[in-house]
Amino acid sequence: AQKVTQAQTEISVVEKEDVTLDCVYETRDTTYYLFWYKQPPSGELVFLIRRNSFDEQNEISGRYSWNFQKSTSSFNFTITASQVVDSAVYFCALSEGGSGNTGKLIFGQGTTLQVKP
Amino acid sequence: KAGVTQTPRYLIKTRGQQVTLSCSPISGHRSVSWYQQTPGQGLQFLFEYFSETQRNKGNFPGRFSGRQFSNSRSEMNVSTLELGDSALYLCASSLVSRGPSNEQFFGPGTRLTVL
């Protein structure tokens, strides 16, 4: 069965703190893609990053970093030195299929991040 | 390049009515997916269209249908509306190619309220 679990429902931090959002996934496919999306109060989902199942190289992009571990089926997301503008709902998502182009994303329940000044 | 656009942005209907939502994908994007977002169920996949054909379908009743036109614009229709259909309906488009360019770009959504 395909499933994405974001155990943290809400996280509240003070500006400049580091915060890690957890994501655990389940899939029987050997080829799949994992994503993180951000949904600010405006409602529009914003794409942050995509990783395929064969690429476990972790990445840092500015204040964002991602930790993908197939052994634990986890794809965690860290914001360093958080800012108030980072306040949003963050979704982890899974796409199965060899090419990943099936158009179906399976989302976790989302983690609401509140960054206080 | 213009993003994904959805019309209308807000809609109020009563039970039993039907509704049609529209989505214009990013220019050049041929795949359009629809999602329903509710506080209780979260984000759920409705269906995906590619080249005017439904390629994938989520677990929703037949009251939910869609179509895609030759210019890749898509519409979804919900017939016999129920209170539980109140939700934010999101459309996403992606550039389908031979490479892994399958990130989906979302529109602002249509907020449907069923009274």
Side-chain angles (χ1 to χ4, degrees), chain A residues 40-54:
Chain A
S42 62
E44 189 166 333
L45 282 162
V46 177
F47 167 76
L48 294 176
I49 189 172
R50 176 193 69 236
R51 270 289 175 270
N52 70 54
S53 52
F54 298 107

Side-chain angles (χ1 to χ4, degrees), chain B residues 40-62:
Chain B
Q41 299 299 317
L43 275 159
Q44 293 185 288
F45 172 77
L46 280 157
F47 28 65
E48 184 235 359
Y49 285 86
F50 174 70
S51 291
E52 302 178 62
T53 301
Q54 188 182 87
R55 191 165 64 170
N56 211 339
K57 188 177 188 303
N59 189 26
F60 278 81

Side-chain angles (χ1 to χ4, degrees), chain A residues 33 35 37 39 42-47 50 91 95 99-109, chain B residues 33 35 37 40-43 45 48 55-56 88 90 96-97 99-104 106-108:
Chain A
Y33 287 79
F35 303 79
Y37 281 87
Q39 187 176 41
S42 62
E44 189 166 333
L45 282 162
V46 177
F47 167 76
R50 176 193 69 236
F91 291 94
S95 174
S99 67
N101 291 330
T102 62
K104 176 181 179 180
L105 289 173
I106 301 154
F107 286 90
Q109 286 297 100
Chain B
S33 297
Y35 295 84
Q37 185 176 23
Q41 299 299 317
L43 275 159
F45 172 77
E48 184 235 359
R55 191 165 64 170
N56 211 339
L88 180 66
L90 293 163
V96 180
S97 68
S101 302
N102 61 323
E103 58 262 39
Q104 294 185 22
F106 284 79

